[in-house]
Amino acid sequence: MRIVDAHVHVWDVDAVPIPWFRDDLDLPGHASAVGLGRELTAAGVASAIAVQAADSVAEAEWLTATAARDPFLRRVVLQYSPAPGRAAGATGVAVTPAVVGMRAAVPQFAADLSDVDGLDALADHLGATGRALELLIRPEQLPAAATLSRRHPGTAIVVCHLGLGARTADGTWRAALDEAASAPGVSAKVSGLDLSARGAEESRGLLRLAFDLFGAERLAFGSDWPMSTRSIGYADVLAATRAALPRLSGAEERAFWSATADRLYPTGA
């Protein structure tokens, strides 16, 4: 089964500082593409999509240059920094075919996302150029993803980490995820969920709900490397995901492990 890891990060805090990085986070200062490549090779993963960890122009330049020379990282998602008057899709760097989307990391904004400057213009721009809009949001913002998608039906909108991450999966989140999934243009990444720490029963319940709501054709696997590997290895993340999956047909497996990512993030846009 071909596997595409739709959510990884690479960085070098000595070359390009990451504002949120701290030593007490127990993360490597150098999360290199070479190190990731070793993990992917050992796990039998074909390729990965690198998501920018912060939002500086210097980091975006470093990430796109890294991907251009790496055999595994052929696609990147750049970070969108909401700012009044900022042009839609503006990154400050040359947008090459390897740039397959932009991520609005906006969990600190309003529940309805109405105060995220330029979000609608960004969605229009990405839809017109065949790129995805990723949303890193908190659970109560999930219904806003559906509303945004209905305003921009031609734009692929992808919710990172099921809009949950390592939080507790309560009824409020479940209802909000249901609302997000009700918009056919919204997909999601099964990533950043810390499945190994949740236990088998809870993990299976999470993924069963995700597949019931979205279907395999709107879900993509992501390891969230190296964030997810502070206490376990890359192969363990894969194993925990496999163990939590509901019973899938061959077509559904192909969709989840690679085809959804390839559809949402086509190269050469």
Side-chain angles (χ1 to χ4, degrees):
M1 182 67 63
R2 178 173 173 269
I3 299 175
V4 173
D5 189 334
H7 198 104
V8 303
H9 303 287
V10 293
W11 62 66
D12 181 342
V13 297
D14 292 328
V16 183
I18 304 294
W20 54 260
F21 187 90
R22 304 189 315 270
D23 291 339
D24 64 337
L25 293 175
D26 195 27
L27 287 166
H30 301 264
S32 71
V34 172
L36 172 64
R38 287 195 292 265
E39 298 281 10
L40 299 179
T41 299
V45 176
S47 65
I49 299 170
V51 179
Q52 188 177 351
D55 61 6
S56 71
V57 171
E59 185 201 4
E61 291 175 336
W62 177 89
L63 180 61
T64 53
T66 297
R69 59 179 180 266
D70 187 84
F72 292 99
L73 297 179
R74 295 303 186 190
R75 290 174 280 184
V76 299
V77 173
L78 300 182
Q79 196 91 286
Y80 173 71
S81 180
R86 182 169 182 168
T91 64
V93 301
V95 178
T96 69
V99 177
V100 293
M102 295 188 70
R103 179 171 77 156
V106 290
Q108 73 275 30
F109 285 79
D112 64 0
L113 302 179
S114 60
D115 56 346
V116 182
D117 285 308
L119 188 59
D120 281 287
L122 177 64
D124 277 339
H125 171 79
L126 294 173
T129 57
R131 295 178 169 91
L133 170 59
E134 290 196 2
L135 296 175
L136 179 64
I137 52 179
R138 64 183 190 272
E140 54 265 45
Q141 294 170 311
L142 282 165
T147 301
L148 181 67
S149 179
R150 291 189 175 100
R151 291 201 301 269
H152 305 278
T155 302
I157 294 179
V158 185
V159 174
C160 297
H161 314 326
L162 292 181
L164 179 68
R167 298 179 184 89
T168 300
D170 58 15
T172 300
W173 168 76
R174 290 182 175 87
L177 189 69
D178 189 359
E179 176 59 29
S182 70
V186 176
S187 300
K189 293 182 186 179
V190 175
S191 58
L193 300 173
D194 201 10
L195 294 176
S196 62
R198 291 182 186 273
E201 183 175 354
E202 182 181 357
S203 295
R204 285 194 295 268
L206 282 182
L207 267 60
R208 187 181 308 112
L209 176 66
F211 277 86
D212 285 346
L213 295 179
F214 288 94
E217 70 281 358
R218 289 196 286 152
L219 290 174
F221 163 73
S223 71
D224 200 25
W225 185 93
M227 306 296 289
S228 60
T229 57
R230 283 176 279 190
S231 57
I232 61 173
Y234 186 90
D236 298 315
V237 175
L238 273 175
T241 304
R242 286 191 176 103
L245 288 174
R247 186 180 298 276
L248 301 176
S249 68
E252 289 171 329
E253 285 190 341
R254 287 189 292 275
F256 174 70
W257 289 112
S258 62
T260 298
D262 288 338
R263 176 179 58 81
L264 293 172
Y265 304 98
T267 56

